[in-house]
Amino acid sequence: MANIGAALAAAGARGKVARELRVLGVTTALSFAAMDFWYAGVRRRISRVYLANGITQLGFAAAWGFAAWRESRDARRLPEAAFA
């Protein structure tokens, strides 16, 4: 987990995240959320406080998805100079 976080943090610090790292971020967050909901909700094997972590992980996945959408939208826009 620390390796994944370090790779994502380094890419974020660079300012441009490759598509592969975005996929890694989304799928990791969704995997963690699924584990939290399964073991804290369905199976009740771990503390129910992990349900809050699962919701947080869904928020991270949504943030990654929003960033990808915004970047693709901005890539399709015409440059400002085209309107002058």
Side-chain angles (χ1 to χ4, degrees):
M1 291 186 299
N3 294 338
I4 293 169
L8 295 175
R14 258 195 354 221
K16 185 143 179 137
V17 179
R19 179 181 174 158
E20 293 82 7
L21 285 178
R22 188 170 287 119
V23 170
L24 176 66
V26 169
T27 56
T28 301
L30 292 175
S31 296
F32 287 158
M35 287 185 286
D36 289 336
F37 293 139
W38 178 255
Y39 287 108
V42 176
R43 300 281 312 251
R44 296 189 182 187
R45 303 290 291 174
I46 59 176
S47 173
R48 294 182 58 82
V49 75
Y50 283 95
L51 293 174
N53 186 57
I55 292 169
T56 303
Q57 293 296 333
L58 291 178
F60 284 139
W64 279 107
F66 177 73
W69 171 79
R70 191 177 66 194
E71 188 174 293
S72 69
R73 180 198 64 187
D74 292 346
R76 290 189 306 263
R77 282 188 173 172
L78 292 175
E80 292 290 325
F83 296 112

